[in-house]
Amino acid sequence: MKKCVVVGCSYASDWATHIGLPRFTIWPELLAEHFNLELVNLSRPGASNKEIVSKALDAVVKYKDMEALFVMWTEFDRISFQSDQPWWKSFSAETSLREKVECFPGCQEISKVMLENDCVQLQAMVDDTIRTMYTFQTVMEHLDINYIHMQGPSPNPFFEYSVYDFSKAITKAPHFDLIQESKLLGWPCTRNIAGWNMDDFFRFHVKDDNLKFEDCTIDGENDAHPNRLGNQYIFHIMKNQYEQTYS
């Protein structure tokens, strides 16, 4: 059986089970079932976009029988180091210090040094992320891979940066005009410049179905991960665009 490969962060993983809630079918499983493919879900809670694109590019080499590749990008500020162990060390410098989260031993110390030495800058962070998206797109197009990608959580978590500054940084990125909107759903990924991500979608777009943000997420503003209904929305969005693009 040919494979459906999915790569993302917790928005593409079994987050409910991870936090001790009853399990439900998640959108990668719905896609694989719909297209009658074997699912390979490489998503991991806390993954950065560097981890995500690395796993996606590795999957292209490893899975010669891959029929479809779905990628869900995460928050722009996450940083990753690939470990010798079969996992990545990923973190956000700002979030690690503010929330006192020790993602791995020494994480907060590294975060403090990075911030004290101005190693986290908005434009550079946005440029790097969109460059990553463009690199992924270029490789997929060159290899003629069937793929769809989208932004899962807000790229600007906790509104760490002003909405205006963050949106301006996206439009100034060197590869901004080179992204194919038909395959990166919601581009340019934030509502303030006429795009959307799944957080935006659940806050504003489901109103047409008489639903609220809380109806599509685990616990509203306390936990914005998609719940059962949210996963069904993502499935239909991905499925419809994939069929429109490749049928």
PDB file of all heavy atoms in Angstrom, residues 142-170:
ATOM      1  N   HIS A 142      10.308  20.223  -7.756  1.00  0.00           N
ATOM      2  CA  HIS A 142      11.380  19.638  -8.579  1.00  0.00           C
ATOM      3  C   HIS A 142      11.238  18.125  -8.673  1.00  0.00           C
ATOM      4  O   HIS A 142      11.463  17.531  -9.748  1.00  0.00           O
ATOM      5  CB  HIS A 142      12.738  20.004  -7.996  1.00  0.00           C
ATOM      6  CG  HIS A 142      13.887  19.381  -8.729  1.00  0.00           C
ATOM      7  ND1 HIS A 142      14.269  19.775  -9.996  1.00  0.00           N
ATOM      8  CD2 HIS A 142      14.732  18.368  -8.379  1.00  0.00           C
ATOM      9  CE1 HIS A 142      15.294  19.044 -10.401  1.00  0.00           C
ATOM     10  NE2 HIS A 142      15.594  18.191  -9.443  1.00  0.00           N
ATOM     11  N   LEU A 143      10.856  17.489  -7.557  1.00  0.00           N
ATOM     12  CA  LEU A 143      10.741  16.031  -7.526  1.00  0.00           C
ATOM     13  C   LEU A 143       9.345  15.546  -7.924  1.00  0.00           C
ATOM     14  O   LEU A 143       9.099  14.338  -7.940  1.00  0.00           O
ATOM     15  CB  LEU A 143      11.090  15.518  -6.126  1.00  0.00           C
ATOM     16  CG  LEU A 143      12.537  15.751  -5.670  1.00  0.00           C
ATOM     17  CD1 LEU A 143      12.731  15.246  -4.244  1.00  0.00           C
ATOM     18  CD2 LEU A 143      13.522  15.083  -6.620  1.00  0.00           C
ATOM     19  N   ASP A 144       8.458  16.488  -8.214  1.00  0.00           N
ATOM     20  CA  ASP A 144       7.093  16.160  -8.635  1.00  0.00           C
ATOM     21  C   ASP A 144       6.363  15.342  -7.571  1.00  0.00           C
ATOM     22  O   ASP A 144       5.724  14.327  -7.860  1.00  0.00           O
ATOM     23  CB  ASP A 144       7.115  15.397  -9.963  1.00  0.00           C
ATOM     24  CG  ASP A 144       5.743  15.386 -10.636  1.00  0.00           C
ATOM     25  OD1 ASP A 144       4.960  16.318 -10.376  1.00  0.00           O
ATOM     26  OD2 ASP A 144       5.474  14.447 -11.416  1.00  0.00           O
ATOM     27  N   ILE A 145       6.461  15.800  -6.321  1.00  0.00           N
ATOM     28  CA  ILE A 145       5.787  15.162  -5.189  1.00  0.00           C
ATOM     29  C   ILE A 145       4.402  15.784  -5.014  1.00  0.00           C
ATOM     30  O   ILE A 145       4.253  17.011  -5.080  1.00  0.00           O
ATOM     31  CB  ILE A 145       6.598  15.345  -3.889  1.00  0.00           C
ATOM     32  CG1 ILE A 145       8.010  14.778  -4.044  1.00  0.00           C
ATOM     33  CG2 ILE A 145       5.872  14.721  -2.707  1.00  0.00           C
ATOM     34  CD1 ILE A 145       8.075  13.284  -4.182  1.00  0.00           C
ATOM     35  N   ASN A 146       3.396  14.983  -4.760  1.00  0.00           N
ATOM     36  CA  ASN A 146       2.067  15.497  -4.427  1.00  0.00           C
ATOM     37  C   ASN A 146       2.086  15.975  -2.972  1.00  0.00           C
ATOM     38  O   ASN A 146       2.283  15.169  -2.060  1.00  0.00           O
ATOM     39  CB  ASN A 146       1.007  14.414  -4.600  1.00  0.00           C
ATOM     40  CG  ASN A 146       0.819  14.009  -6.045  1.00  0.00           C
ATOM     41  OD1 ASN A 146       1.316  14.662  -6.959  1.00  0.00           O
ATOM     42  ND2 ASN A 146       0.098  12.924  -6.262  1.00  0.00           N
ATOM     43  N   TYR A 147       1.865  17.252  -2.764  1.00  0.00           N
ATOM     44  CA  TYR A 147       1.965  17.803  -1.409  1.00  0.00           C
ATOM     45  C   TYR A 147       0.998  18.959  -1.215  1.00  0.00           C
ATOM     46  O   TYR A 147       0.609  19.639  -2.151  1.00  0.00           O
ATOM     47  CB  TYR A 147       3.396  18.281  -1.128  1.00  0.00           C
ATOM     48  CG  TYR A 147       3.741  19.579  -1.847  1.00  0.00           C
ATOM     49  CD1 TYR A 147       3.714  20.807  -1.179  1.00  0.00           C
ATOM     50  CD2 TYR A 147       4.079  19.592  -3.197  1.00  0.00           C
ATOM     51  CE1 TYR A 147       4.015  21.995  -1.836  1.00  0.00           C
ATOM     52  CE2 TYR A 147       4.386  20.764  -3.863  1.00  0.00           C
ATOM     53  CZ  TYR A 147       4.348  21.966  -3.182  1.00  0.00           C
ATOM     54  OH  TYR A 147       4.634  23.141  -3.834  1.00  0.00           O
ATOM     55  N   ILE A 148       0.625  19.151   0.042  1.00  0.00           N
ATOM     56  CA  ILE A 148      -0.124  20.321   0.497  1.00  0.00           C
ATOM     57  C   ILE A 148       0.462  20.704   1.844  1.00  0.00           C
ATOM     58  O   ILE A 148       0.784  19.838   2.663  1.00  0.00           O
ATOM     59  CB  ILE A 148      -1.633  20.020   0.643  1.00  0.00           C
ATOM     60  CG1 ILE A 148      -2.274  19.695  -0.706  1.00  0.00           C
ATOM     61  CG2 ILE A 148      -2.360  21.189   1.312  1.00  0.00           C
ATOM     62  CD1 ILE A 148      -2.354  20.863  -1.671  1.00  0.00           C
ATOM     63  N   HIS A 149       0.598  22.005   2.101  1.00  0.00           N
ATOM     64  CA  HIS A 149       1.052  22.429   3.431  1.00  0.00           C
ATOM     65  C   HIS A 149       0.224  23.615   3.914  1.00  0.00           C
ATOM     66  O   HIS A 149      -0.422  24.310   3.137  1.00  0.00           O
ATOM     67  CB  HIS A 149       2.562  22.720   3.468  1.00  0.00           C
ATOM     68  CG  HIS A 149       3.078  23.647   2.408  1.00  0.00           C
ATOM     69  ND1 HIS A 149       4.197  24.440   2.590  1.00  0.00           N
ATOM     70  CD2 HIS A 149       2.683  23.913   1.141  1.00  0.00           C
ATOM     71  CE1 HIS A 149       4.453  25.141   1.506  1.00  0.00           C
ATOM     72  NE2 HIS A 149       3.548  24.839   0.610  1.00  0.00           N
ATOM     73  N   MET A 150       0.232  23.810   5.221  1.00  0.00           N
ATOM     74  CA  MET A 150      -0.530  24.900   5.825  1.00  0.00           C
ATOM     75  C   MET A 150       0.089  25.268   7.170  1.00  0.00           C
ATOM     76  O   MET A 150       0.882  24.514   7.732  1.00  0.00           O
ATOM     77  CB  MET A 150      -2.008  24.513   6.021  1.00  0.00           C
ATOM     78  CG  MET A 150      -2.200  23.433   7.040  1.00  0.00           C
ATOM     79  SD  MET A 150      -3.908  23.202   7.661  1.00  0.00           S
ATOM     80  CE  MET A 150      -4.944  24.012   6.518  1.00  0.00           C
ATOM     81  N   GLN A 151      -0.280  26.431   7.677  1.00  0.00           N
ATOM     82  CA  GLN A 151       0.165  26.884   8.984  1.00  0.00           C
ATOM     83  C   GLN A 151      -0.839  26.427  10.037  1.00  0.00           C
ATOM     84  O   GLN A 151      -2.026  26.721   9.938  1.00  0.00           O
ATOM     85  CB  GLN A 151       0.286  28.410   9.010  1.00  0.00           C
ATOM     86  CG  GLN A 151       0.745  28.996  10.339  1.00  0.00           C
ATOM     87  CD  GLN A 151       2.200  28.685  10.642  1.00  0.00           C
ATOM     88  OE1 GLN A 151       3.028  28.604   9.736  1.00  0.00           O
ATOM     89  NE2 GLN A 151       2.518  28.525  11.915  1.00  0.00           N
ATOM     90  N   GLY A 152      -0.370  25.694  11.054  1.00  0.00           N
ATOM     91  CA  GLY A 152      -1.251  25.214  12.108  1.00  0.00           C
ATOM     92  C   GLY A 152      -1.501  26.291  13.156  1.00  0.00           C
ATOM     93  O   GLY A 152      -2.428  27.093  13.030  1.00  0.00           O
ATOM     94  N   PRO A 153      -0.698  26.330  14.227  1.00  0.00           N
ATOM     95  CA  PRO A 153      -0.874  27.383  15.237  1.00  0.00           C
ATOM     96  C   PRO A 153      -0.465  28.740  14.686  1.00  0.00           C
ATOM     97  O   PRO A 153       0.199  28.836  13.648  1.00  0.00           O
ATOM     98  CB  PRO A 153       0.072  26.943  16.362  1.00  0.00           C
ATOM     99  CG  PRO A 153       1.109  26.107  15.690  1.00  0.00           C
ATOM    100  CD  PRO A 153       0.396  25.392  14.582  1.00  0.00           C
ATOM    101  N   SER A 154      -0.862  29.773  15.382  1.00  0.00           N
ATOM    102  CA  SER A 154      -0.461  31.123  14.982  1.00  0.00           C
ATOM    103  C   SER A 154       1.052  31.209  14.867  1.00  0.00           C
ATOM    104  O   SER A 154       1.773  30.713  15.742  1.00  0.00           O
ATOM    105  CB  SER A 154      -0.947  32.139  16.013  1.00  0.00           C
ATOM    106  OG  SER A 154      -0.353  33.404  15.785  1.00  0.00           O
ATOM    107  N   PRO A 155       1.575  31.815  13.799  1.00  0.00           N
ATOM    108  CA  PRO A 155       3.028  31.940  13.677  1.00  0.00           C
ATOM    109  C   PRO A 155       3.633  32.881  14.713  1.00  0.00           C
ATOM    110  O   PRO A 155       4.847  32.856  14.948  1.00  0.00           O
ATOM    111  CB  PRO A 155       3.210  32.492  12.256  1.00  0.00           C
ATOM    112  CG  PRO A 155       1.934  33.187  11.947  1.00  0.00           C
ATOM    113  CD  PRO A 155       0.864  32.401  12.650  1.00  0.00           C
ATOM    114  N   ASN A 156       2.784  33.703  15.339  1.00  0.00           N
ATOM    115  CA  ASN A 156       3.222  34.688  16.332  1.00  0.00           C
ATOM    116  C   ASN A 156       2.592  34.341  17.677  1.00  0.00           C
ATOM    117  O   ASN A 156       1.649  34.987  18.125  1.00  0.00           O
ATOM    118  CB  ASN A 156       2.801  36.090  15.869  1.00  0.00           C
ATOM    119  CG  ASN A 156       3.228  37.192  16.820  1.00  0.00           C
ATOM    120  OD1 ASN A 156       4.136  37.023  17.632  1.00  0.00           O
ATOM    121  ND2 ASN A 156       2.574  38.335  16.716  1.00  0.00           N
ATOM    122  N   PRO A 157       3.092  33.292  18.356  1.00  0.00           N
ATOM    123  CA  PRO A 157       2.439  32.792  19.571  1.00  0.00           C
ATOM    124  C   PRO A 157       2.435  33.809  20.704  1.00  0.00           C
ATOM    125  O   PRO A 157       3.409  34.542  20.892  1.00  0.00           O
ATOM    126  CB  PRO A 157       3.285  31.565  19.939  1.00  0.00           C
ATOM    127  CG  PRO A 157       4.627  31.844  19.358  1.00  0.00           C
ATOM    128  CD  PRO A 157       4.361  32.595  18.084  1.00  0.00           C
ATOM    129  N   PHE A 158       1.314  33.849  21.423  1.00  0.00           N
ATOM    130  CA  PHE A 158       1.159  34.749  22.582  1.00  0.00           C
ATOM    131  C   PHE A 158       1.337  36.215  22.178  1.00  0.00           C
ATOM    132  O   PHE A 158       1.577  37.066  23.029  1.00  0.00           O
ATOM    133  CB  PHE A 158       2.158  34.395  23.688  1.00  0.00           C
ATOM    134  CG  PHE A 158       2.144  32.951  24.086  1.00  0.00           C
ATOM    135  CD1 PHE A 158       3.184  32.100  23.707  1.00  0.00           C
ATOM    136  CD2 PHE A 158       1.095  32.421  24.817  1.00  0.00           C
ATOM    137  CE1 PHE A 158       3.173  30.757  24.061  1.00  0.00           C
ATOM    138  CE2 PHE A 158       1.073  31.081  25.170  1.00  0.00           C
ATOM    139  CZ  PHE A 158       2.113  30.244  24.797  1.00  0.00           C
ATOM    140  N   PHE A 159       1.242  36.493  20.852  1.00  0.00           N
ATOM    141  CA  PHE A 159       1.469  37.854  20.351  1.00  0.00           C
ATOM    142  C   PHE A 159       2.768  38.419  20.924  1.00  0.00           C
ATOM    143  O   PHE A 159       2.816  39.540  21.432  1.00  0.00           O
ATOM    144  CB  PHE A 159       0.273  38.756  20.654  1.00  0.00           C
ATOM    145  CG  PHE A 159      -0.977  38.314  19.950  1.00  0.00           C
ATOM    146  CD1 PHE A 159      -1.970  37.622  20.632  1.00  0.00           C
ATOM    147  CD2 PHE A 159      -1.148  38.547  18.598  1.00  0.00           C
ATOM    148  CE1 PHE A 159      -3.112  37.182  19.983  1.00  0.00           C
ATOM    149  CE2 PHE A 159      -2.295  38.112  17.934  1.00  0.00           C
ATOM    150  CZ  PHE A 159      -3.272  37.435  18.630  1.00  0.00           C
ATOM    151  N   GLU A 160       3.807  37.580  20.841  1.00  0.00           N
ATOM    152  CA  GLU A 160       5.123  37.963  21.341  1.00  0.00           C
ATOM    153  C   GLU A 160       5.612  39.250  20.680  1.00  0.00           C
ATOM    154  O   GLU A 160       6.285  40.071  21.291  1.00  0.00           O
ATOM    155  CB  GLU A 160       6.116  36.828  21.058  1.00  0.00           C
ATOM    156  CG  GLU A 160       7.433  36.936  21.775  1.00  0.00           C
ATOM    157  CD  GLU A 160       7.322  36.624  23.257  1.00  0.00           C
ATOM    158  OE1 GLU A 160       6.717  35.602  23.620  1.00  0.00           O
ATOM    159  OE2 GLU A 160       7.846  37.430  24.047  1.00  0.00           O
ATOM    160  N   TYR A 161       5.238  39.431  19.413  1.00  0.00           N
ATOM    161  CA  TYR A 161       5.583  40.640  18.667  1.00  0.00           C
ATOM    162  C   TYR A 161       4.292  41.354  18.286  1.00  0.00           C
ATOM    163  O   TYR A 161       3.233  40.728  18.157  1.00  0.00           O
ATOM    164  CB  TYR A 161       6.378  40.280  17.406  1.00  0.00           C
ATOM    165  CG  TYR A 161       7.634  39.498  17.709  1.00  0.00           C
ATOM    166  CD1 TYR A 161       7.628  38.096  17.702  1.00  0.00           C
ATOM    167  CD2 TYR A 161       8.822  40.146  18.016  1.00  0.00           C
ATOM    168  CE1 TYR A 161       8.770  37.377  17.996  1.00  0.00           C
ATOM    169  CE2 TYR A 161       9.983  39.430  18.304  1.00  0.00           C
ATOM    170  CZ  TYR A 161       9.937  38.038  18.296  1.00  0.00           C
ATOM    171  OH  TYR A 161      11.070  37.325  18.593  1.00  0.00           O
ATOM    172  N   SER A 162       4.371  42.651  18.074  1.00  0.00           N
ATOM    173  CA  SER A 162       3.174  43.386  17.690  1.00  0.00           C
ATOM    174  C   SER A 162       2.651  42.837  16.365  1.00  0.00           C
ATOM    175  O   SER A 162       3.431  42.408  15.504  1.00  0.00           O
ATOM    176  CB  SER A 162       3.472  44.886  17.557  1.00  0.00           C
ATOM    177  OG  SER A 162       4.098  45.162  16.319  1.00  0.00           O
ATOM    178  N   VAL A 163       1.341  42.836  16.226  1.00  0.00           N
ATOM    179  CA  VAL A 163       0.715  42.314  15.008  1.00  0.00           C
ATOM    180  C   VAL A 163       1.230  43.057  13.784  1.00  0.00           C
ATOM    181  O   VAL A 163       1.525  42.455  12.735  1.00  0.00           O
ATOM    182  CB  VAL A 163      -0.821  42.429  15.122  1.00  0.00           C
ATOM    183  CG1 VAL A 163      -1.476  42.127  13.778  1.00  0.00           C
ATOM    184  CG2 VAL A 163      -1.346  41.490  16.202  1.00  0.00           C
ATOM    185  N   TYR A 164       1.360  44.367  13.899  1.00  0.00           N
ATOM    186  CA  TYR A 164       1.835  45.182  12.776  1.00  0.00           C
ATOM    187  C   TYR A 164       3.256  44.801  12.388  1.00  0.00           C
ATOM    188  O   TYR A 164       3.560  44.569  11.210  1.00  0.00           O
ATOM    189  CB  TYR A 164       1.777  46.668  13.142  1.00  0.00           C
ATOM    190  CG  TYR A 164       2.399  47.560  12.085  1.00  0.00           C
ATOM    191  CD1 TYR A 164       1.693  47.903  10.937  1.00  0.00           C
ATOM    192  CD2 TYR A 164       3.706  48.040  12.236  1.00  0.00           C
ATOM    193  CE1 TYR A 164       2.269  48.714   9.964  1.00  0.00           C
ATOM    194  CE2 TYR A 164       4.287  48.840  11.273  1.00  0.00           C
ATOM    195  CZ  TYR A 164       3.568  49.172  10.131  1.00  0.00           C
ATOM    196  OH  TYR A 164       4.142  49.961   9.171  1.00  0.00           O
ATOM    197  N   ASP A 165       4.156  44.734  13.375  1.00  0.00           N
ATOM    198  CA  ASP A 165       5.556  44.418  13.088  1.00  0.00           C
ATOM    199  C   ASP A 165       5.707  43.014  12.500  1.00  0.00           C
ATOM    200  O   ASP A 165       6.500  42.795  11.576  1.00  0.00           O
ATOM    201  CB  ASP A 165       6.398  44.542  14.357  1.00  0.00           C
ATOM    202  CG  ASP A 165       6.577  45.976  14.811  1.00  0.00           C
ATOM    203  OD1 ASP A 165       6.335  46.888  14.004  1.00  0.00           O
ATOM    204  OD2 ASP A 165       6.944  46.187  15.992  1.00  0.00           O
ATOM    205  N   PHE A 166       4.944  42.061  13.028  1.00  0.00           N
ATOM    206  CA  PHE A 166       5.049  40.687  12.548  1.00  0.00           C
ATOM    207  C   PHE A 166       4.550  40.586  11.110  1.00  0.00           C
ATOM    208  O   PHE A 166       5.181  39.953  10.259  1.00  0.00           O
ATOM    209  CB  PHE A 166       4.245  39.748  13.452  1.00  0.00           C
ATOM    210  CG  PHE A 166       4.625  38.306  13.305  1.00  0.00           C
ATOM    211  CD1 PHE A 166       5.611  37.753  14.104  1.00  0.00           C
ATOM    212  CD2 PHE A 166       4.002  37.496  12.365  1.00  0.00           C
ATOM    213  CE1 PHE A 166       5.980  36.414  13.967  1.00  0.00           C
ATOM    214  CE2 PHE A 166       4.353  36.164  12.219  1.00  0.00           C
ATOM    215  CZ  PHE A 166       5.347  35.623  13.021  1.00  0.00           C
ATOM    216  N   SER A 167       3.428  41.217  10.835  1.00  0.00           N
ATOM    217  CA  SER A 167       2.868  41.189   9.485  1.00  0.00           C
ATOM    218  C   SER A 167       3.805  41.880   8.492  1.00  0.00           C
ATOM    219  O   SER A 167       4.011  41.404   7.372  1.00  0.00           O
ATOM    220  CB  SER A 167       1.496  41.867   9.469  1.00  0.00           C
ATOM    221  OG  SER A 167       0.602  41.207  10.342  1.00  0.00           O
ATOM    222  N   LYS A 168       4.375  42.995   8.907  1.00  0.00           N
ATOM    223  CA  LYS A 168       5.310  43.724   8.041  1.00  0.00           C
ATOM    224  C   LYS A 168       6.533  42.868   7.738  1.00  0.00           C
ATOM    225  O   LYS A 168       7.029  42.845   6.602  1.00  0.00           O
ATOM    226  CB  LYS A 168       5.731  45.032   8.715  1.00  0.00           C
ATOM    227  CG  LYS A 168       6.643  45.910   7.861  1.00  0.00           C
ATOM    228  CD  LYS A 168       6.969  47.210   8.583  1.00  0.00           C
ATOM    229  CE  LYS A 168       7.898  48.080   7.738  1.00  0.00           C
ATOM    230  NZ  LYS A 168       8.236  49.353   8.452  1.00  0.00           N
ATOM    231  N   ALA A 169       7.016  42.140   8.743  1.00  0.00           N
ATOM    232  CA  ALA A 169       8.183  41.279   8.543  1.00  0.00           C
ATOM    233  C   ALA A 169       7.899  40.194   7.504  1.00  0.00           C
ATOM    234  O   ALA A 169       8.763  39.850   6.693  1.00  0.00           O
ATOM    235  CB  ALA A 169       8.605  40.652   9.868  1.00  0.00           C
ATOM    236  N   ILE A 170       6.683  39.642   7.527  1.00  0.00           N
ATOM    237  CA  ILE A 170       6.318  38.619   6.536  1.00  0.00           C
ATOM    238  C   ILE A 170       6.368  39.201   5.131  1.00  0.00           C
ATOM    239  O   ILE A 170       6.939  38.605   4.206  1.00  0.00           O
ATOM    240  CB  ILE A 170       4.919  38.044   6.840  1.00  0.00           C
ATOM    241  CG1 ILE A 170       4.961  37.198   8.124  1.00  0.00           C
ATOM    242  CG2 ILE A 170       4.406  37.210   5.669  1.00  0.00           C
ATOM    243  CD1 ILE A 170       3.609  36.646   8.542  1.00  0.00           C
TER     244      ILE A 170
END
